[in-house]
Amino acid sequence: MANFSENVSLKPFNTFGIDARARKFQTFSSLGELQALLKSIGDSPLLILGGGSNLLLTQDFEGYVLKNELRGISVIEENKDHIFAEVQAGENWHEFVLHAIANNWAGVENLSLIPGTVGAAPMQNIGAYGVEIKQVFESLKAVEIETGIVHTFNKEECEFGYRESIFKKSHKGKYIITSVVFRLNKKPEFNISYGAIQDTLNELGISELSIKAVSDAVIKIRQSKLPDPKEIGNAGSFFKNPEVGKIDFEGLKAEFPNIPGYQLPNNVVKIPAAWLIEQAGWKGKTFGQIGVHKNQPLVLVNYGQGKGVDLKDLAFKIRTSVSEKFGIELTPEVNII
Ligand code: FAD
Ligand code: EPU
């Protein structure tokens, strides 16, 4: 019988720093341990915790919280062009990126400094600076919660989209990802066209491109834009950037001439939610212990003693005001529990 800790504060385990409690809490560091835990839990409510960097806890969790500590990185295959690395789901994402760079495995350098675990990365197909993990994703293994059986999912089966996968849709709450295989490149294909990467490389005085240089530039940009959860509680972008049809975008442009938009395939335009939230008057606003970040209004913050439920209320007020002003419904990126 598993030896669960009881009534455990989750404050150290979520980057918002919300002091919600878990009725039962346990870590797992092997597949066998996880399968045994699942058996003893039965049908009780279950929350899988990685780094807690994409979660908003709005209440105590009246069930079992299992924290993923599966570790290990191994090369399972290699050919002329690629390295296939299998990474256990509890590995820290950024440490894996640094490991890849140290070994000259290219493909994840643009995803430097994203918090959290490798196992949570496919959940929302993490992305930044022009790259998403689906571009280097080969397959993953996941335990079916109901049966304890391990299944393998290839890329198509994961149904990756912008901050989306099958594990947030029809398979939501049904699987625990235990490892991910990445197909990394021996020869880098640099992707430096996004945002300020090129300018930052110039600022850093880098003339010879390398995956380490790209990573350094991405880290510098991220540190200048996003609050460090060690200093101010947050979970990165609270909402996704909305996508609208080209015709709707033209209508918005007529009314709001400065509205930014990025053209995607199929006549779709992505609008920065940060701009919409700033225009709706929320940027830098503080409400007691919580607020909207002063440099990046897409990031909601907890100054220390904030409550999850208040952050959720704030998020929904922001959503309503953006909807009233622009007719656009923002969708949360953060998992609200
Ligand atoms: P958690 O928060 O622990 O979990 C997130 C969800 O996934 C929960 O529903 C949880 O139950 C579930 N889950 C976790 N692990 C597993 C598993 N092994 N199997 C099944 N379900 C699981 N994201 C981006 O895409 N791009 C960014 O640039 C980015 N920048 C960020 C910057 C900051 C400062 C912060 C705080 C967050 C940022 N994020 C970004 C969001 C976050 O880092 C990612 O979503 C990350 O993948 C979450 O990992 P985690 O281990 O912390 O997940
Ligand atoms: N903007 C404003 N006001 C601001 C800040 C930004 O209007 O105060 C507008 C500007 O038009 C700016 C645009 O927003 O050009 C985009 O801002 P930024 O480059 O900071 O990126 P983002 O769209 O807000 C997205 C991701 C981030 C990712 C970065 C870099 C989403 C929801 N967010 O943010 O991911 O790191 O791009 O690629 O797609 C996350 O998912 O948690 C996350 C941090």
Side-chain angles (χ1 to χ4, degrees), residues 15 47-55 68 89 113-117 119-121 123-128 163 175-178 222 226-227 229 234-237 333 335 337:
T15 60
L47 174 66
I48 300 301
L49 199 57
S53 65
N54 208 18
L55 275 186
N68 183 349
L113 212 63
I114 297 181
T117 53
M123 291 291 295
Q124 70 159 11
N125 177 28
I126 57 167
R163 300 295 190 269
Y175 287 90
I176 300 170
I177 296 168
T178 53
R222 293 182 67 96
L226 291 163
N234 77 89
S237 302
E333 175 192 302
N335 298 278
I337 309 285

Side-chain angles (χ1 to χ4, degrees), residues 11 16-19 288-290 302-308 310-311:
K11 193 172 165 95
F16 254 129
I18 301 295
D19 191 11
Q289 282 291 305
I290 62 170
N302 173 17
Y303 294 107
Q305 306 301 319
K307 299 241 174 315
D310 294 335
L311 278 157

Side-chain angles (χ1 to χ4, degrees), residues 313-331:
D313 283 353
L314 174 58
F316 284 87
K317 281 184 188 137
I318 292 171
R319 191 158 94 146
T320 303
S321 85
V322 166
S323 167
E324 284 169 1
K325 191 169 168 80
F326 299 102
I328 294 174
E329 302 298 328
L330 295 179
T331 310

